[in-house]
Amino acid sequence: MHNNKIILFNPRSANGKHRIPNSILQVGAAIHGKYDYVFVDGNLEQNPWQTIENYLKTGEFKYFGCTVMPGPQLRQAIPFTKKIKENYPDIITVWGGYFASNQYKVALNSGYVDYVINGPGDNTFPELVNALEANENLNLIKNLIYKDATNQIVKTDVEALLDQDTLPKLPYDYLNSFYPVRNYLAKTFMGNTTLSYHSSMGCPFSCSFCAIVPIYNAKWKGMSAARIYEDVKHFKEKYNIDAVEFHDNNFFTSKKRVLEFSELIMNDNISYWGEGRIDTINQYSDEDLKLMRKAGCKMIFLGAETGNDAVLKQMNKGGTQSGQMIKDFVLRMKNANIIPELSFVFGMPAKTEKEVYDQILWDIHFIKEIKTINPDAEIIIYLYSPVPTEGSELYKQILDAGFSFPEHLEDWISPSWENFDLRKNPLTPWLKPYMIDTIKNFETVLNGYYPTVSDFRIRGYKKTVLQLVSGLRYKTGFYHYPYEIKALHKFWKYRQPEIEGFYSE
């Protein structure tokens, strides 16, 4: 068993308090008891490279596994993996996560990423290690992308999503031997001790702006309510959690499961939050919504994207969502006392510059209507950034509009690309600077007039000051240069949920 140990690395993703690194825990669960492995969490390490290098210097390690989301994680994933290949050329490097799956060509062509896990790695990772240890053929392993002996990229078959209840439990106790699990249970808007949890894989839709579509191909599989509750109960007993954030791509896909889970958790005094689709949850009855609220569902993150039905079609959202449905649903949520967090995507490509800008102004007006119907609705604004599936209609539109992805892996962490997937600095030729200013200024004013509830640091009189300053601008539609609001935000370190997730302490 010597000299084939495995490092599982979670690169730093955001500032502030951190969530349990579920992605590397899931890989750990798949090899637990079969191979020796260590966790390195870039979010909790002062100097993660030092920690990784100390392991490599022992000579006992052979594999480096790294999860890579687009955005900030690239800042450690790219240079660290490169350094490992340069200084420890025998180490086998394996990447997983959305970035690796969507940009596998640029990853494998870099010369320092050996294998890409394309989708869930529950079977793929252990099978890959087994095959490499036994020097066996790789082409029967599913969800794998690699270069063969002739330097051709091989993409193996995609595996059907597994029955989530049959997967091994995540090795929380083992994680605790590296980083106290308690440190991951943050104080958030939802509660003082918040667990972050994944209860399903995939999503049954194929929106054109979404990074996970190419990976799951509109498939979804969830754990049973009983299995989720078992874990939640464990954390309640062991760490006395009072809240859970479900980071599934679509927690509410199965109404039966959500209602069963709500019944189970009803008397445990635990709040919960998840992400869902408006047209899915709109099919729940008012009684269902009230049951969920009573069980602790305080807030739901929903992709509204746009109130404009023509643009919704272009986004290929599927389903039955419309602008009118968004308005109706926001009112239903108000009556059920659940806060809707609505995300909007601004700046979709259109035939003319005027059309692009008119659509932005149209949605600004629509958001004001939503706020009138339900002032508690949280609004999160993303600037459109291209992640479309190769070969899709939107992909063609984007290439026609003059857009291109970086060819070299290191270019993904050059300054102009750094913030790319936070949808804040897109190199989108059809979005002119004045449009981005309009969006950003509206966002600043909106956030000042209605400070987000999930940031519990802006309290009391601070809110009032912000609202007075912004109120004037919000009502007059004067969004240019809202400097004084920006200054107040800086002063109270206001956190934007779309970049950081909930503000947590």
Side-chain angles (χ1 to χ4, degrees), residues 364 367-380 442-455 458 462-475 479 485 489 494-497:
I364 285 177
I367 289 172
K368 287 179 135 185
E369 283 186 80
I370 293 290
K371 277 294 204 182
T372 312
I373 298 168
N374 182 350
D376 286 338
E378 291 281 308
I379 306 292
I380 292 176
F442 171 65
E443 184 184 46
T444 302
V445 171
L446 179 74
N447 286 343
Y449 191 49
Y450 296 105
T452 154
V453 290
S454 60
D455 186 345
I458 296 184
K462 300 179 184 176
K463 246 181 191 168
T464 324
V465 178
L466 273 173
Q467 282 167 340
L468 284 175
V469 172
S470 324
L472 199 64
R473 292 182 175 282
Y474 184 77
K475 292 197 174 82
Y479 307 127
I485 303 172
H489 278 173
Y494 177 77
R495 197 87 169 252
Q496 285 176 300

Side-chain angles (χ1 to χ4, degrees), residues 164-208:
Q164 301 293 297
D165 276 17
T166 61
L167 296 179
K169 293 270 194 195
L170 298 187
Y172 294 117
D173 291 343
Y174 186 57
L175 174 67
N176 197 48
S177 67
F178 294 90
Y179 308 98
V181 166
R182 198 171 285 290
N183 292 357
Y184 289 109
L185 307 172
K187 180 178 177 190
T188 63
F189 163 69
M190 302 298 296
N192 287 319
T193 314
T194 311
L195 167 69
S196 100
Y197 192 85
H198 268 266
S199 74
S200 67
M201 270 289 164
C203 175
F205 294 92
S206 24
C207 308
S208 62

Side-chain angles (χ1 to χ4, degrees), residues 198-434:
H198 268 266
S199 74
S200 67
M201 270 289 164
C203 175
F205 294 92
S206 24
C207 308
S208 62
F209 54 82
C210 180
I212 69 163
V213 169
I215 301 165
Y216 298 117
N217 209 352
K219 303 280 190 292
W220 182 90
K221 268 273 194 347
M223 288 177 186
S224 64
R227 160 82 187 240
I228 305 167
Y229 184 61
E230 226 174 275
D231 281 342
V232 170
K233 192 91 182 136
H234 166 79
F235 272 88
K236 175 82 184 168
E237 284 160 8
K238 195 159 179 177
Y239 299 104
N240 199 21
I241 58 163
D242 57 1
V244 187
E245 289 178 7
F246 288 104
H247 287 280
D248 306 35
N249 301 120
N250 201 331
F251 179 71
F252 298 92
T253 300
S254 158
K255 177 170 86 171
K256 184 172 161 290
R257 185 180 88 122
V258 171
L259 298 180
E260 270 174 37
F261 175 72
S262 297
E263 293 283 8
L264 287 169
I265 204 176
M266 185 65 73
N267 300 315
D268 290 322
N269 208 4
I270 291 175
S271 307
Y272 74 90
W273 168 96
E275 304 191 20
R277 279 178 60 106
I278 291 170
D279 52 6
T280 302
I281 307 176
N282 199 35
Q283 289 169 4
Y284 290 30
S285 70
D286 289 340
E287 280 60 51
D288 297 339
L289 294 176
K290 289 206 169 78
L291 173 80
M292 285 154 52
R293 179 63 189 89
K294 197 174 155 205
C297 179
K298 281 190 187 170
M299 186 183 220
I300 300 177
F301 179 95
L302 302 151
E305 321 315 355
T306 172
N308 186 326
D309 295 350
V311 179
L312 272 172
K313 223 186 165 111
Q314 181 191 6
M315 291 179 176
N316 196 23
K317 231 178 134 59
T320 56
Q321 183 171 317
S322 65
Q324 190 53 48
M325 183 190 288
I326 300 173
K327 291 185 194 173
D328 297 343
F329 186 67
V330 161
L331 184 61
R332 290 190 63 204
M333 294 283 277
K334 183 182 178 178
N335 297 333
N337 191 24
I338 299 172
I339 295 172
E341 258 189 315
L342 303 173
S343 71
F344 285 84
V345 176
F346 276 37
M348 290 285 284
K351 286 188 183 62
T352 65
E353 183 178 323
K354 184 180 178 324
E355 272 178 74
V356 175
Y357 193 51
D358 284 348
Q359 171 50 30
I360 291 169
L361 297 175
W362 198 94
D363 266 328
I364 285 177
H365 177 75
F366 184 80
I367 289 172
K368 287 179 135 185
E369 283 186 80
I370 293 290
K371 277 294 204 182
T372 312
I373 298 168
N374 182 350
D376 286 338
E378 291 281 308
I379 306 292
I380 292 176
I381 296 172
Y382 292 120
L383 275 180
Y384 176 73
S385 72
V387 277
T389 323
E390 265 189 68
S392 71
E393 196 43 51
L394 197 57
Y395 195 75
K396 289 208 272 293
Q397 283 176 17
I398 280 160
L399 295 183
D400 291 345
F403 182 86
S404 62
F405 287 108
E407 304 279 307
H408 298 286
L409 196 47
E410 275 102 310
D411 294 342
W412 281 89
I413 46 176
S414 67
S416 52
W417 276 89
E418 271 242 294
N419 299 323
F420 182 75
D421 212 68
L422 296 176
R423 303 211 168 82
K424 287 291 177 187
N425 178 15
L427 306 179
T428 36
W430 61 90
L431 268 180
K432 305 296 178 235
Y434 71 89

